[in-house]
């Protein structure tokens, strides 16, 4: 059964994971009407997969070359070709469990006030915080919570949803990831992402879902499940670039989307940054990366001071 859904996928040089994802989609009880793939690969292998035959996959696949490399920009381009009123954003390296899409669809349209729902990632789950982390969360959030699962607290610290058998199948959350998420098209902004989010586009999913949440409820469809076979990539190796991007993007989310601009908010952002750096030093790798991380943070501070969010340093524009 084909549902009136446009699926959009940004990919770059990952033909085998993409093929695995498509084969997994073919086993679903329902499938999207179309899937639009924006491809930044350096070869034609992905195009060949898209033009080939995948057993039991009835979804129409449209393949386009990326004009600009980056998860956010590729997804924005995919929206130009999307024809349906429900948008399915998914990564190219996920594997669906049975009935995943059907349960997401049922969850989204079970409540007219829901703007988006995402799937439960079985290998990336919320873990109850330890004593130090809970103290940090309480400080940033301003109060203690029985669980911080699925919440976005203080300066844009987003926490994964929780998977417990005693929870309902549809759980309200503060934000949604773009690993596997279903949105009503009418709930989405145009463009999907602020122009700040380029290259690896760290936290673009948080920005998008927080914008949607200003007028719509968000939820996690807990029994709609996927496995995220996260792939290595060059963009994950440059710790200096990631450190800069993390601070600039989080500051943007804090000030421009959450509209938190008080001295107390900036103090919480500083505390979160210091905690993150300290936590990374529990491994020798963290110590080796420390000079790059600190340099990245300094570059981010310079961008924030100038409020020049369109400034992308030459080393930062990575796919």
């Amino acid at each position: 059964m084909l549902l009136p859904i446009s699926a959009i996928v940004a990919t770059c040089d990952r033909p085998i994971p993409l093929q695995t994802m498509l084969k997994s989609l073919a086993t679903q009880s329902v499938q999207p009407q179309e899937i639009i793939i924006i491809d930044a690969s350096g070869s034609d292998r992905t195009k060949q997969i898209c033009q080939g035959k995948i057993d039991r996959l009835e979804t129409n696949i449209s393949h386009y070359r990326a004009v600009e490399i980056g998860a956010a920009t590729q997804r924005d381009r995919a929206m130009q070709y999307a024809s349906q009123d429900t948008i399915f954003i998914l990564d190219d390296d996920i594997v669906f469990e049975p009935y995943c899409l059907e349960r997401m669809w049922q969850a989204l349209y079970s409540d007219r006030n829901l703007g988006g729902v995402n799937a439960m990632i079985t290998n990336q789950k919320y873990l109850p915080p330890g004593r130090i982390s809970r103290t940090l969360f309480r400080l940033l959030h301003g109060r203690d919570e029985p669980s911080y699962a699925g919440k976005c607290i203080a300066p844009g610290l987003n926490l994964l949803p929780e998977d417990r058998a005693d929870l309902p199948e549809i759980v309200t959350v503060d934000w949604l990831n773009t690993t596997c998420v279903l949105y009503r098209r009418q709930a989405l902004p145009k463009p999907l992402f602020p122009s700040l989010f380029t290259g690896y586009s760290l936290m673009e999913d948080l920005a998008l879902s927080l914008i949607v949440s200003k007028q719509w409820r968000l939820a996690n469809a807990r029994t709609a499940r996927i496995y995220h076979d996260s792939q290595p990539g060059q963009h994950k190796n440059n710790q200096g670039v990631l450190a800069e991007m993390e601070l600039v993007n989080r500051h943007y989310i804090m000030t421009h989307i959450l509209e938190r601009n008080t001295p107390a908010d900036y103090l919480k952002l500083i505390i979160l940054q210091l905690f993150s750096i300290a936590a990374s030093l529990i491994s020798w790798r963290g110590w080796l990366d420390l000079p790059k991380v600190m340099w990245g943070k300094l570059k981010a501070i310079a961008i924030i001071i100038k409020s020049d969010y369109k400034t992308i340093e030459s080393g930062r524009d990575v796919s």
Side-chain angles (χ1 to χ4, degrees):
M1 178 179 175
L2 294 177
L3 294 178
I5 296 173
S6 293
I8 64 175
V9 178
T11 190
C12 181
D13 291 316
R14 300 206 292 213
I16 301 305
L18 175 67
Q19 186 177 48
T20 300
M21 183 274 287
L22 292 173
K23 288 180 177 179
S24 171
L25 180 61
T27 67
Q28 289 292 290
S29 55
V30 295
Q31 297 177 23
Q33 184 74 37
E34 62 183 3
I35 183 165
I36 299 156
I37 295 175
I38 306 298
D39 180 18
S41 302
S43 72
D44 288 332
R45 293 182 65 194
T46 297
K47 181 179 180 180
Q48 292 166 1
I49 289 171
C50 295
Q51 294 178 343
K53 175 66 177 175
I54 295 178
D55 188 38
R56 292 189 291 172
L57 185 64
E58 300 299 327
T59 301
N60 179 62
I61 301 178
S62 297
H63 175 274
Y64 300 92
R65 284 287 185 183
V67 175
E68 182 179 349
I69 300 175
T73 52
Q74 287 175 239
R75 287 169 178 150
D76 270 327
R77 182 160 182 242
M79 286 296 292
Q80 300 174 20
Y81 306 105
S83 64
Q84 303 300 308
D85 289 333
T86 306
I87 304 299
F88 190 24
I89 305 175
L90 59 156
D91 284 353
D92 58 5
D93 55 0
I94 64 173
V95 179
F96 295 94
E97 290 195 5
Y99 304 103
C100 177
L101 181 54
E102 181 179 348
R103 289 169 179 169
M104 292 178 71
W105 173 268
Q106 292 171 348
L108 181 62
Y109 289 101
S110 68
D111 185 339
R112 63 188 301 176
N113 296 312
L114 274 176
V117 300
N118 63 4
M120 176 64 69
I121 306 174
T122 59
N123 59 322
Q124 293 173 247
K125 298 180 184 178
Y126 172 83
L127 296 175
R131 184 177 60 182
I132 296 176
S133 294
R134 178 166 287 278
T135 300
L136 174 70
F137 294 169
R138 184 168 58 246
L139 173 64
L140 298 180
H141 192 45
R143 63 181 183 274
D144 199 13
E145 296 279 1
S147 173
Y148 292 93
K151 294 189 178 300
C152 176
I153 60 177
L157 175 60
N158 51 315
L159 299 154
L160 291 169
E162 193 168 16
D163 187 16
R164 296 199 327 259
D166 61 316
L167 291 173
E169 291 189 4
I170 304 172
V171 181
T172 298
V173 293
D174 290 347
W175 71 285
L176 303 173
N177 60 63
T178 49
T179 307
C180 182
V181 61
L182 204 61
Y183 279 110
R184 297 178 192 259
R185 187 170 192 148
Q186 68 188 104
L188 293 171
K190 297 179 181 180
L192 288 181
F193 307 101
S195 58
L196 167 76
F197 294 92
T198 59
Y200 183 39
S201 310
L202 192 64
M203 292 186 291
E204 91 287 353
D205 49 1
L206 177 61
L208 173 61
S209 55
L210 288 178
I211 291 171
V212 172
S213 72
K214 292 185 177 185
Q215 297 184 5
W216 300 81
R217 287 180 54 236
L218 307 174
N220 176 244
R222 193 179 59 79
T223 59
R225 306 167 79 82
I226 60 167
Y227 177 84
H228 188 199
D229 187 18
S230 186
Q231 300 294 304
Q234 182 181 359
H235 57 269
K236 300 179 182 180
N237 297 329
N238 193 327
Q239 297 304 311
V241 170
L242 293 178
E244 176 195 343
M245 187 181 295
E246 184 274 335
L247 178 50
V248 171
N249 292 5
R250 197 179 301 280
H251 176 265
Y252 179 88
I253 289 171
M254 182 184 82
T255 57
H256 285 63
I257 300 178
L258 294 173
E259 300 178 354
R260 296 172 180 168
N261 295 283
T262 68
D265 293 319
Y266 277 90
L267 177 60
K268 290 177 180 180
L269 179 61
I270 292 170
I271 291 172
L272 178 58
Q273 295 297 309
L274 293 175
F275 179 84
S276 299
I277 292 171
S280 71
L281 300 180
I282 62 174
S283 69
W284 65 269
R285 183 72 195 181
W287 285 98
L288 289 176
D289 289 334
L290 183 60
K292 294 179 182 178
V293 170
M294 296 305 297
W295 180 241
K297 298 298 184 186
L298 290 173
K299 289 167 67 178
I301 291 170
I303 293 174
I304 290 170
I305 290 173
K306 292 188 296 182
S307 295
D308 185 7
Y309 289 107
K310 293 183 179 179
T311 297
I312 304 298
E313 303 293 337
S314 60
R316 177 177 163 183
D317 190 11
V318 294
S319 60

